Amino acid sequence: MLSVCTLLLSLLPAAPQSYSLDPGDLVIADTEIGPGLYGAIRVLKRDGSLRTVPTSAPLNFPSDVIIDRDGWIALTDFSSWSMAYRIAPANGELVALNQLPLSEPFHLC
């Protein structure tokens, strides 16, 4: 019975991942994605395809992105309550890095 359960578990699909990054991918902060739409973080894959990174809340004007040492996308979002965030790879959750608004968060290092 144990071997059958192990086999069945191995056939289950892996948990969905919000985004994945491969060497050579380009991560872009896109502020103009269409009329009435919010900004987005996009990944330009090496094969030329463009994918939008899903997030747990809309972004207003994302202006800078970096990949931190844990593989999370870090970004700044300019609005009336400007923030710095990390995007969780597993589920797209926006994790705020600051508790007070930033004045002009345009660059990360």
Side-chain angles (χ1 to χ4, degrees), residues 4 27 32 38-39 42 60 86 93 101 106:
V4 172
V27 182
E32 300 230 5
Y38 293 95
R42 298 182 185 255
N60 292 300
R86 290 174 73 201
E93 179 183 358
F106 292 117

Side-chain angles (χ1 to χ4, degrees), residues 24-46:
D25 290 351
L26 183 63
V27 182
I28 303 164
D30 192 352
T31 58
E32 300 230 5
I33 61 172
L37 299 176
Y38 293 95
I41 302 300
R42 298 182 185 255
V43 177
L44 179 59
K45 304 297 278 181
R46 286 183 59 180

Side-chain angles (χ1 to χ4, degrees), residues 14-20 53-54 70-73 86-93:
Q17 191 169 357
S18 170
Y19 67 87
S20 63
V53 175
D70 297 325
W72 288 39
I73 294 174
R86 290 174 73 201
I87 303 174
N91 60 8
E93 179 183 358

Side-chain angles (χ1 to χ4, degrees), residues 31 39 59-64 75-85 102-106:
T31 58
L59 299 170
N60 292 300
F61 297 100
S63 58
D64 197 17
L75 66 117
T76 58
D77 189 29
F78 185 73
S79 67
S80 59
W81 185 267
S82 295
M83 299 290 288
Y85 294 106
L102 301 170
S103 177
E104 294 182 6
F106 292 117

